[in-house]
Amino acid sequence: MKTTILFDHDGVLVDTEPWYYRAGERALADVGFTQDRDQYLRDMADGNPTWAQARAAGVDEATIDRQREARDAYYQEYVRTERIEIDGVAEALDELSRHARMAVVTTARRADLELIHSHRDILRHMEFVLAREDYAQAKPHPEPYLTGLARFGATREETLVVEDSARGLRSAVAAGIDCAVVHHDFTASQDFSGARHRIATLAELTDLVRGAS
């Protein structure tokens, strides 16, 4: 039985992964660079940034710094204007809150989180949210999830991580925490062989945390 759940954010609670990719793709296109989506997904799984392909192709750091700002602006435009809700998430969290303590551990910037959730209430059951600014090493390093464990004062055995990416899965595994990977079309091609559970939707988590499987 699991009494603590640490959720990833993007792709798990909101459908923002494709828009983050599109924002980076658009920022790079502004300087004449065409990003390869499949390579982006491979880089993402390894914890490499949007700019890995551009750097390898010789794009200079000053240009990357400038386009990073453009990417951030494009992304915030998308999350303000596009539908990013995932059907069933709010209902699943309502049910899970009866059985477990919950928090978010994400590589997203806090400014983006605040914008995304300014008119949404799906974080109301979360005891805390750890954003990128809250730890030194990003996923796939174990630090983000170890920080979440410490914040709760929870044990690995009583905790479940919920992820949608190989990078996040590797972070959880490195931290010694069981991980359930929820299906997301954007990351479906990644390697999830290390996952303790594979689920289609968050609704399936209730049985997992109660020890029904």
Side-chain angles (χ1 to χ4, degrees), residues 173-190:
V173 169
I177 309 171
D178 285 346
C179 184
V181 172
V182 62
H183 175 81
H184 192 286
D185 287 344
F186 190 72
T187 55
S189 65
Q190 296 184 2

Side-chain angles (χ1 to χ4, degrees), residues 106-169:
T106 177
T107 56
R109 301 181 312 147
R110 192 164 295 280
D112 293 333
L113 292 169
E114 290 173 354
L115 177 61
I116 289 167
H117 295 287
S118 61
H119 296 97
R120 296 178 176 89
D121 66 353
I122 62 174
L123 297 184
R124 62 191 178 93
H125 295 304
M126 303 297 169
E127 294 192 25
F128 58 86
V129 175
L130 294 180
R132 181 63 188 89
E133 296 88 344
D134 296 318
Y135 44 82
Q137 299 289 330
K139 304 171 187 178
H141 195 278
E143 183 185 355
Y145 284 119
L146 292 176
T147 302
L149 278 184
R151 179 78 172 265
F152 263 134
T155 66
R156 292 171 172 84
E157 293 74 19
E158 67 190 357
T159 303
L160 181 69
V161 164
V162 184
E163 272 285 351
D164 76 310
S165 73
R167 174 181 59 184
L169 169 62

Side-chain angles (χ1 to χ4, degrees), residues 22-35 51 67 74:
R22 188 172 297 185
E25 180 185 49
R26 182 177 167 188
L28 288 168
D30 287 346
V31 293
F33 184 83
T34 301
Q35 180 155 261
W51 321 106
Q67 296 315 112
Y74 291 147

Side-chain angles (χ1 to χ4, degrees), residues 74-85:
Y74 291 147
Y75 180 60
Q76 292 200 349
E77 172 191 333
Y78 290 142
V79 299
R80 280 195 303 267
T81 59
E82 302 293 339
R83 185 183 187 279
I84 60 173
E85 285 73 22

Side-chain angles (χ1 to χ4, degrees), residues 181-204:
V181 172
V182 62
H183 175 81
H184 192 286
D185 287 344
F186 190 72
T187 55
S189 65
Q190 296 184 2
D191 179 10
F192 297 120
S193 57
R196 181 71 176 83
H197 307 281
R198 299 288 299 274
I199 58 177
T201 70
L202 295 191
E204 298 175 47

Side-chain angles (χ1 to χ4, degrees), residues 82-94:
E82 302 293 339
R83 185 183 187 279
I84 60 173
E85 285 73 22
I86 298 175
D87 293 339
V89 164
E91 294 80 2
L93 295 179
D94 285 344

